[in-house]
Amino acid sequence: MDIPGDLKFAPSHEWVRVEDDGTITIGISGHAQEQLGDLVFVETPEIDHQCEAEEGIAVVESVKAASDIYAPVAGKVTDTNAQLGDSPELVNSDPYGEGWIFKMQPDDLEEVEKLMDPDDYESFAEAAE
Amino acid sequence: MTIQTALHQVHLDGAAKLVDFSGFSLPLHYGSVIDEHQAVRESAGMFDLSHLYIIEAIGHKATHWLRILLSNDVAKLTDGHGLYSCLCREDGGVVDDLLVFRVDEYRYRLYIDAARREKTLAWITAHLTRGVEIVHITNTAVVAVQGPDAVGCAETAIKALGLSLPLADLPRFAARQDGSWFVSRTGYTGEDGVEISLPSHLAAALWQALSALDVKPAGLGARDTLRLEAGFSSYGQDIDERHTPCESGIDSTIDIDDEKRPFVGREVLEDQKMFGGQFFQIGLTLDGPGMLRRGAAVELVGQTIGSITSGSFSPVRGASIGLARVSRKFTGSCDVTVRGRLQPARITSVPFVPHGLARE
């Protein structure tokens, strides 16, 4: 699966995209959804929840296992993907698009820059396999 | 080092995700557990079951011996018919569950799962008597074809390989043999279908012939969700040595009709068949989000009464379902630990998905 070039990645396999309004959108990587297999539930975080970096705030659950989704940076949750309630499979079919999980207003946008570039993430994910 | 089945290359070519299953390298899925599950419910899917170990019990004492060894009674069988049975210890604990077919009065064919192979073979050897010989059937692959279209597809595919094994008229639990091919109308999915054992070197050709008929390859993941929807217990999860068949949802494998049949474990099992065991199995459905997972505590008004023995997602029900072993009878709802929090779960009759429901 091709990774869009404008994304950043956390070592816990979340992707992050910086939007024009300074918010960030978060989902899980194509590699992560492939490892989990068919998703059957996604528990999205509470809107307005103020979280620390690396705090587990969402859960994706597949036939096989449950996995925590971590906030890649500190900030406040501003939106969640309501479609995932009925269609968790969007995370499998379109992890970098329709399968986004939540949006945040980061406390410090520069923290996002410290995350991995797509190429680095790809090598990281391959090495972890 | 894992054992590769005769279909290993076929699985690799099919982009299977292979996992170690009791020492065998077998597909977990070929991309999507749910797609494979639905194919079996709606049309047909095929599974590599070559981890099954086949033995034959041969000899003039074969019937007599199996009537003592097994909890179910092979005296019910006529030639070419099989049944599901347990192999129990004296205390009623389950050594294994298996399928046994009567080829004729002096020859029976037993299918033993890889998970318990060594223990079961040791148990059988230790209980062997004069007049019975065990023959190991090797160089054999096993392919299950399951789903509403499975029997027709299997018949056509077998014909394409130059054999003639008519299957449409084959009753449930009956089997037909042609040389070293042995086909039974059995399965572990709650759908119609057949299980085919055949010479290893022909397995790939059969798989390809089935594939040409749009039978979808399915892995262990779908096998587990299918059997759970059908309410079938699985050894290692819902069945173990510490519990009896009555405590594992398989009391139908205990036959006490012939009062004079002294099978191993009879004393305990006869009593439990009539009055129940210390525990019993229930089916549960989680109404909210989340998953019932093996080991999760089942609580009734704040008291732990048992645990989930196997849980997963039911694609047909669109909710998580599970089997639990509990110590108290109750109706309605209970609470189950789901990711550290108690969530309400409903008692549901098993099978969760009755035969054919998925197609209504």
Side-chain angles (χ1 to χ4, degrees):
Chain A
M1 192 173 294
D2 283 343
I3 300 178
D6 58 344
L7 300 184
K8 290 287 195 176
F9 287 86
S12 43
H13 303 284
E14 294 84 2
W15 58 260
V16 180
R17 188 175 59 229
V18 180
E19 309 294 350
D20 293 342
D21 62 359
T23 62
I24 56 173
T25 303
I26 293 106
I28 64 167
S29 72
H31 170 82
Q33 65 79 21
E34 224 172 86
Q35 291 298 309
L36 285 162
D38 290 324
L39 292 190
V40 291
F41 293 111
V42 178
E43 194 181 308
T44 51
E46 303 265 326
I47 290 177
D48 287 342
H49 175 72
Q50 178 70 41
C51 55
E52 301 295 321
E54 294 172 22
E55 181 183 330
I57 57 167
V59 180
V60 289
E61 195 143 8
S62 72
V63 174
K64 212 164 53 175
S67 182
D68 285 314
I69 306 300
Y70 301 93
V73 294
K76 192 162 89 170
V77 177
T78 57
D79 196 8
T80 63
N81 187 350
Q83 269 190 293
L84 298 182
D86 285 333
S87 307
E89 69 277 7
L90 289 174
V91 177
N92 293 115
S93 59
D94 191 8
Y96 300 117
E98 296 275 294
W100 67 275
I101 297 173
F102 61 99
K103 292 178 193 286
M104 287 176 72
Q105 181 68 59
D107 291 348
D108 181 0
L109 199 52
E110 282 186 15
E111 289 297 312
V112 176
E113 289 307 310
K114 295 181 184 164
L115 298 170
M116 282 180 268
D117 290 326
D119 286 349
D120 294 339
Y121 173 72
E122 228 163 344
S123 336
F124 168 82
E126 268 167 37
E129 227 172 89
Chain B
M1 180 64 203
T2 54
I3 302 164
Q4 298 177 353
T5 72
L7 290 163
H8 187 71
Q9 190 56 48
V10 176
H11 299 325
L12 291 179
D13 295 343
K17 178 168 170 57
L18 296 168
V19 291
D20 179 350
F21 179 77
S22 301
F24 285 80
S25 176
L26 285 169
L28 181 62
H29 60 72
Y30 300 81
S32 164
V33 171
I34 290 178
D35 289 353
E36 292 161 24
H37 180 108
Q38 296 294 30
V40 172
R41 289 276 178 253
E42 286 159 15
S43 51
M46 56 184 165
F47 302 83
D48 179 5
L49 304 186
S50 302
H51 59 285
L52 288 174
Y53 194 78
I54 306 170
I55 58 170
E56 287 191 349
I58 301 168
H60 69 282
K61 287 277 194 187
T63 302
H64 175 77
W65 177 66
L66 285 171
R67 292 193 76 205
I68 293 170
L69 194 71
L70 302 179
S71 63
N72 212 337
D73 191 354
V74 296
K76 285 184 287 199
L77 296 175
T78 51
D79 291 356
H81 284 77
L83 53 73
Y84 175 54
S85 181
C86 281
L87 193 65
C88 290
R89 306 192 306 200
E90 283 296 346
D91 66 1
V94 183
V95 176
D96 206 353
D97 59 328
L98 48 80
L99 279 179
V100 55
F101 293 90
R102 173 172 150 147
V103 179
D104 61 46
E105 193 187 344
Y106 305 117
R107 181 188 291 259
Y108 289 84
R109 192 173 171 96
L110 284 73
Y111 286 73
I112 297 163
D113 200 87
R116 297 290 293 174
R117 183 178 53 194
E118 275 159 37
K119 288 231 172 194
T120 301
L121 290 177
W123 181 267
I124 285 173
T125 307
H127 287 77
L128 209 57
T129 53
R130 247 188 287 180
V132 187
E133 191 192 343
I134 297 296
V135 175
H136 299 256
I137 309 294
T138 52
N139 299 320
T140 299
V142 183
V143 174
V145 192
Q146 301 280 301
D149 301 334
V151 175
C153 290
E155 192 175 301
T156 309
I158 290 170
K159 197 181 265 180
L161 268 67
L163 276 90
S164 175
L165 270 167
L167 301 175
D169 63 334
L170 193 65
R172 283 286 294 159
F173 275 95
R176 207 156 268 165
Q177 196 163 10
D178 183 350
S180 44
W181 287 62
F182 190 95
V183 184
S184 60
R185 195 146 187 172
T186 50
Y188 194 47
T189 60
E191 295 295 335
D192 193 6
V194 289
E195 292 173 307
I196 303 166
S197 59
L198 73 161
S200 292
H201 69 277
L202 296 173
L206 176 68
W207 194 268
Q208 272 142 18
L210 288 163
S211 193
L213 298 165
D214 286 331
V215 178
K216 193 176 172 68
L220 295 166
R223 186 167 156 83
D224 195 56
T225 53
L226 287 159
R227 70 91 193 166
L228 188 60
E229 278 191 344
F232 296 139
S233 294
S234 170
Y235 203 101
Q237 297 190 72
D238 317 289
I239 312 171
D240 58 45
E241 278 199 0
R242 292 174 296 112
H243 296 92
T244 68
C246 294
E247 296 170 331
S248 314
I250 46 172
D251 44 351
S252 62
T253 60
I254 303 167
D255 187 330
I256 53 171
D257 287 352
D258 179 352
E259 288 166 16
K260 296 201 185 76
R261 185 172 72 98
F263 64 89
V264 181
R266 170 148 197 159
E267 207 173 319
V268 175
L269 297 176
E270 180 166 350
D271 181 72
Q272 290 201 0
K273 177 97 176 172
M274 292 189 286
F275 306 109
Q278 203 181 337
F279 304 95
F280 55 98
Q281 189 187 70
I282 54 169
L284 291 173
T285 302
L286 193 66
D287 286 316
M291 291 278 267
L292 299 174
R293 301 275 187 198
R294 176 172 162 73
V298 176
E299 291 192 9
L300 195 63
V301 285
Q303 198 188 355
T304 302
I305 58 163
S307 67
I308 300 290
T309 50
S310 58
S312 191
F313 180 75
S314 162
V316 174
R317 292 287 184 200
S320 179
I321 56 172
L323 296 171
R325 183 181 283 125
V326 294
S327 58
R328 271 174 58 183
K329 282 209 192 313
F330 63 99
T331 53
S333 291
C334 57
D335 295 306
V336 181
T337 312
V338 177
R339 290 182 52 76
R341 287 196 299 264
L342 285 179
Q343 303 274 355
R346 228 174 346 110
I347 286 211
T348 312
S349 63
V350 171
F352 297 97
V353 177
H355 181 85
L357 177 91
R359 296 182 298 283
E360 277 168 12

